[in-house]
Amino acid sequence: MSIPIQFHKSQVIQGLRYHFIKQSEIKGLLLFVNVYAIITAVLLFYKKIRPELFLVGSLLWIVLMVFFWFLLPWLFYRKTNMFKQDWVFDFNSTGASLNSESGSASWDWSEVTRFFESPLFFHVYFAPKSFFILPKAHFSFEDQQLIRGFFNKK
């Protein structure tokens, strides 16, 4: 079955946000900063520390969120030509392929190491940092169910 794929900038940036926030390194860093902020807030409440330590943690949290939620997805989109091309996604029970004017890729379903869905995309991973996003808007409901079945069967 062949499905034409076109990417829209705002949707791709939202999908990349999900990709980056789901990375274990980023989750761990955000967890550490949140725990630091909670501990410093409690210590500030009991007047055990000065407010500057709490403000440093808060500022660090804001900077990290701006970087991971806005800057990193935008920079990734800008440097990657893949999202600016039109693709054709072909799939069957054994595997899938992507074709465009500049190249093609094909894989068996067993080569997919991880898969998750965000509201707008299927996120397909072949290695921890090697991935592709497929816009769900181009798939009919039945095709979405087929794709989920192939990924879950693996």
Side-chain angles (χ1 to χ4, degrees), residues 87-126:
W87 294 85
V88 175
F89 178 69
D90 296 310
F91 69 97
N92 58 34
S93 61
T94 59
S97 66
L98 284 164
N99 300 300
S100 76
E101 295 173 358
S102 64
S104 64
S106 61
W107 64 90
D108 291 332
W109 294 117
S110 61
E111 294 177 45
V112 175
T113 59
R114 190 167 62 112
F115 155 77
F116 77 90
E117 287 185 58
S118 63
L120 300 173
F121 292 97
F122 292 112
H123 298 252
V124 182
Y125 290 83
F126 306 101

Side-chain angles (χ1 to χ4, degrees), residues 28-79:
L29 182 61
L30 293 176
L31 179 66
F32 175 76
V33 170
N34 283 331
V35 168
Y36 175 83
I38 291 169
I39 290 171
T40 56
V42 169
L43 292 173
L44 180 64
F45 178 76
Y46 287 113
K47 301 193 187 312
K48 300 288 183 189
I49 61 169
R50 296 177 41 94
E52 291 84 7
L53 291 173
F54 176 71
L55 291 175
V56 166
S58 299
L59 181 64
L60 182 60
W61 189 88
I62 291 169
V63 167
L64 287 174
M65 287 311 294
V66 166
F67 181 73
F68 291 128
W69 196 254
F70 296 105
L71 192 59
L72 193 58
W74 182 77
L75 288 172
F76 191 86
Y77 177 83
R78 202 179 89 196
K79 289 190 175 226

